[in-house]
Amino acid sequence: MSVFISGANGFIAQHIVDLLLKEDYKVIGSARSQEKADDLMKAFGNNPNLSMEIVPDISKLDAFDSVFQKYGKDIKIVLHTASPFCFDIADYERDLLIPALNGVKGILNSIKKYAADSVERVVLTSSFAAMFDISKESDKSVTFNEESWNPATWESCQIDAVNAYCGSKKFAEEAAWKFLEENRNAVKFQLTAINPVYVFGPQTFEKDVKRHLNTSCEFVNNLIHLSPEDKIPEFYGGYIDVRDVAKAHLVAFQKNETIGQRLIISEARCTMQDIVDVLNDGFPVLKGKIPVGKPKTGATHNTLGATLDNTKSKKLLGFKFRNLKETIDDTASQILKSEGKL
Ligand code: NDP
């Protein structure tokens, strides 16, 4: 019995693979190129329980056919994490919306064609972006929870990359629930969506700490490299540690209570000021090198906008998430060590 994970070389996915291997699962991962697949195999010490397949572009609806044709009967669990998460793009449809949507449609159809009787659980890495309404983020009277859906339409989300990304996650998750509704008798699997807020935390392997990091960790990386006179970027959102997001993916398929659920993975809300406070408090090497701003005025000290209520998700998952200090300390110390500053 194997677990298939798409986009296995991604920031979050590498932590998931790490946990799966530690729990002795047989893992089949996909990456876009042989080079990326080989790198990942090497990083995991060529663990015999890990094997890799190449899926060059999830925009193609038959992208996963060959994987499920080859391994379908052996795969019991599918974790679909692959989806573009980047704001530096040229074409919203080609680079975000279509790969996200077709990725979900494609993998579920491949399961239907080649593994309808063997795949029992599918965990989709969706996002809180599929749930919240950007225009209501600063409205203190609004609460988002597991029932919430981003109201974006295909047309309305194409104003900038952030809106397009949020739309891409909404359309992809919506397509997954719709597929299940329409194919209830044609497939065996049960579905769970994982909806994380902004994910920070260390890279699984230090070799991946580069000058530019994956989109979410780049927020922290950017703060570490500001000058004292720079303005602290505007940001209000939820935060969660990547190690907790990874664990949530495992719990999501290991428990029956999570079947059919959308799980919001968020510890609490924060602003960049909160992260700057943690950096200034925890790292003497950054004193006087990064801005100070107005300490203790961030979202961890005050209600600055809409509330995120994920009480239900936390209860279903049943484990405690890391706090902002631990997450940022571990993110920053890995970066600073790689630069020889710690
Ligand atoms: P990464 O960019 O590190 O990982 C994304 C993965 O998807 C990579 O393996 C990437 O391949 C693959 N991918 C992207 N586009 C394609 C494509 N067209 N064809 C094939 N593979 C593709 O991001 P994260 O680990 O941060 O994100 C993983 C998932 O989590 C995504 O679904 C994202 O939307 C979701 N998420 C992330 C959050 C965060 O804050 N990080 C918050 C909420 C949800 P390659 O490396 O070759 O580009």
Side-chain angles (χ1 to χ4, degrees):
M1 188 281 284
S2 297
V3 179
F4 174 71
I5 177 164
S6 66
N9 64 312
F11 165 59
I12 294 173
Q14 289 194 33
H15 282 275
I16 301 175
V17 172
D18 192 36
L19 285 186
L20 288 169
L21 293 174
K22 282 178 179 149
E23 292 196 19
D24 282 335
Y25 286 98
K26 266 178 69 189
V27 182
I28 303 163
S30 72
R32 284 206 246 199
S33 68
Q34 192 62 51
E35 195 189 343
K36 288 179 184 183
D38 291 347
D39 271 1
L40 195 73
M41 287 298 298
K42 194 171 158 212
F44 280 106
N46 292 310
N47 187 316
N49 279 341
L50 177 64
S51 61
M52 292 294 294
E53 289 293 312
I54 311 306
V55 175
D57 186 5
I58 55 172
S59 300
K60 297 206 164 63
L61 284 166
D62 61 356
F64 291 101
D65 275 6
S66 58
V67 173
F68 285 90
Q69 241 169 334
K70 188 168 165 190
Y71 295 105
K73 299 283 164 276
D74 181 45
I75 297 172
K76 200 161 155 188
I77 315 288
V78 171
L79 311 180
H80 181 50
T81 80
S83 202
F85 181 25
C86 41
F87 300 137
D88 183 17
I89 47 149
D91 184 317
Y92 304 141
E93 287 197 349
R94 186 196 62 201
D95 300 332
L96 283 173
L97 288 155
I98 291 174
L101 179 59
N102 286 5
V104 165
K105 285 184 176 173
I107 199 166
L108 298 184
N109 265 308
S110 299
I111 294 171
K112 184 180 167 184
K113 276 196 264 179
Y114 302 108
D117 294 330
S118 40
V119 174
E120 293 178 5
R121 300 291 291 265
V122 172
V123 179
L124 171 68
T125 314
S126 183
S127 172
F128 183 63
M131 305 175 122
F132 84 123
D133 179 346
I134 303 183
S135 70
K136 300 215 167 96
E137 263 295 66
S138 54
D139 185 341
K140 289 186 192 173
S141 69
V142 169
T143 297
F144 299 116
N145 61 22
E146 289 83 359
E147 312 290 316
S148 304
W149 279 97
N150 172 350
T153 64
W154 191 268
E155 293 73 31
S156 79
C157 74
Q158 303 201 34
I159 48 174
D160 59 31
V162 173
N163 276 277
Y165 171 71
C166 293
S168 79
K169 298 306 287 182
K170 174 209 171 151
F171 301 125
E173 192 197 324
E174 217 173 37
W177 293 115
K178 187 160 174 259
F179 177 95
L180 196 58
E181 208 178 283
E182 291 173 355
N183 290 280
R184 196 55 290 176
N185 298 321
V187 292
K188 183 176 175 187
F189 72 78
Q190 306 280 5
L191 179 65
T192 304
I194 294 283
N195 299 66
V197 291
Y198 275 92
V199 184
F200 306 127
Q203 307 291 321
T204 309
F205 300 107
E206 281 180 15
K207 69 168 183 59
D208 291 322
V209 185
K210 311 235 165 82
R211 180 59 192 89
H212 287 284
L213 297 179
N214 60 291
T215 302
S216 51
C217 290
E218 187 54 28
F219 281 87
V220 182
N221 196 23
N222 177 46
L223 294 178
I224 290 175
H225 295 97
L226 289 179
S227 297
E229 60 284 355
D230 284 334
K231 196 173 173 301
I232 298 171
E234 299 271 328
F235 169 90
Y236 172 65
Y239 70 85
I240 187 70
D241 192 290
V242 65
R243 294 161 290 190
D244 294 326
V245 178
K247 187 169 174 183
H249 280 77
L250 272 74
V251 176
F253 72 76
Q254 289 169 335
K255 279 189 169 180
N256 285 338
E257 300 90 301
T258 56
I259 288 172
Q261 300 292 336
R262 308 173 77 206
L263 302 170
I264 304 179
I265 319 298
S266 171
E267 167 55 10
R269 298 287 224 170
C270 74
T271 62
M272 289 292 147
Q273 180 66 59
D274 291 302
I275 299 178
V276 164
D277 291 353
V278 174
L279 293 173
N280 276 311
D281 288 349
F283 295 92
V285 69
L286 293 174
K287 275 269 152 63
K289 304 244 167 63
I290 61 168
V292 173
K294 293 183 183 142
K296 296 194 165 60
T297 57
T300 58
H301 301 277
N302 311 281
T303 304
L304 298 179
T307 300
L308 191 170
D309 179 3
N310 65 335
T311 318
K312 179 180 169 190
S313 303
K314 283 181 169 169
K315 200 166 165 222
L316 281 167
L317 287 167
F319 69 92
K320 200 172 163 354
F321 299 146
R322 287 167 176 82
N323 62 28
L324 189 67
K325 180 166 169 46
E326 185 177 354
T327 301
I328 299 303
D329 277 356
D330 290 353
T331 315
S333 60
Q334 193 186 47
I335 295 169
L336 291 167
K337 268 185 205 151
S338 82
E339 293 176 353
K341 294 178 183 161
L342 269 191

